Amino acid sequence: EGQYSESDTTLTKNNPGGFESKQENWNLGIQVTQSIYAGGGDRAAFKGQKLLEEASVRDLQSTVNTVLLEVRERFYGVWKIVSCKRTSKDGTVDYPFGENPVGRITYDKAGRMSAQLMKSGRPSTLPPGVDYAGGGNTSTEELLNSVRGFVAYFGTFDVDESTQTVTHHVQACLVSSWVGHDVKRNYRFSGNRLILRAAALATTELTWEREPD
């Protein structure tokens, strides 16, 4: 009584519960196995999606870095001044360094920059090779004209393409109050020219032309 063979395919009258119990255990085993495989598939799909997202972020970052580098590289080199025009809030236009200024601005791959801008034709009583710090006999007016007609500084720079701003981090300057501070300029390129624009009490636009290597 109560016996059945492995080939039984139906329940026996003597043991109506035996085969059913075996079948239930087998079904449970299938269900557990399916659950494991299904869960593994979900995890694999999630991991695959995450890898795709990470790859997309890397590709996007690489593209952004390439664009930023290309913009920064456009600054590299030596530029000579073409014009320096200042426009006051009332619309008055003047040329603080004259209509034929002399100057140069330089940017290099290491992130360094320097700029010199001079009003040509400034009179001086000093002989060549002697500077004002050397104790030359000069008038106050000559000193004022020399300082007002010249500006020079150097430091490092950063470019923000999103706002089209180049920032000069000043390390040394003729105007001592600039040292340790940032000088921001809006920029745009036009052919072989770089136009820098500064807005303070008045708007000053400096046009620079690239010099050949």
Side-chain angles (χ1 to χ4, degrees), residues 44-121:
F46 176 78
K47 185 175 182 180
Q49 180 64 30
K50 186 176 181 181
L51 290 174
L52 286 175
E53 291 175 357
E54 292 175 351
S56 297
V57 170
R58 287 195 299 270
D59 290 343
L60 177 60
Q61 187 62 57
S62 176
T63 300
V64 170
N65 290 340
T66 299
V67 171
L68 292 178
L69 180 60
E70 289 176 352
V71 172
R72 186 180 179 88
E73 287 178 340
R74 295 189 70 181
F75 282 86
Y76 297 164
V78 180
W79 308 76
K80 66 178 181 180
I81 191 68
V82 174
S83 67
C84 177
K85 182 176 69 173
R86 180 171 57 193
T87 305
S88 302
K89 292 183 179 180
D90 62 2
T92 303
V93 175
D94 71 320
Y95 299 88
F97 294 94
E99 295 187 11
N100 297 294
V102 177
R104 177 180 293 167
I105 191 167
T106 304
Y107 299 95
D108 69 17
K109 294 180 180 180
R112 297 168 298 201
M113 63 78 54
S114 62
Q116 303 84 35
L117 187 57
M118 182 186 79
K119 183 177 183 178
S120 59

Side-chain angles (χ1 to χ4, degrees), residues 137-191:
N137 186 19
T138 56
S139 66
T140 301
E141 181 180 0
E142 181 177 333
L143 286 172
L144 286 174
N145 286 334
S146 295
V147 172
R148 288 172 178 171
F150 186 82
V151 65
Y153 64 93
F154 70 81
T156 60
F157 75 98
D158 286 306
V159 179
D160 186 345
E161 194 274 337
S162 64
T163 59
Q164 290 192 303
T165 302
V166 57
T167 301
H168 302 154
H169 309 290
V170 181
Q171 298 174 336
C173 182
L174 177 65
V175 184
S176 59
S177 62
W178 288 25
V179 178
H181 294 274
D182 292 343
V183 175
K184 294 183 180 292
R185 300 285 185 261
N186 293 116
Y187 72 84
R188 61 184 175 88
F189 293 95
S190 179

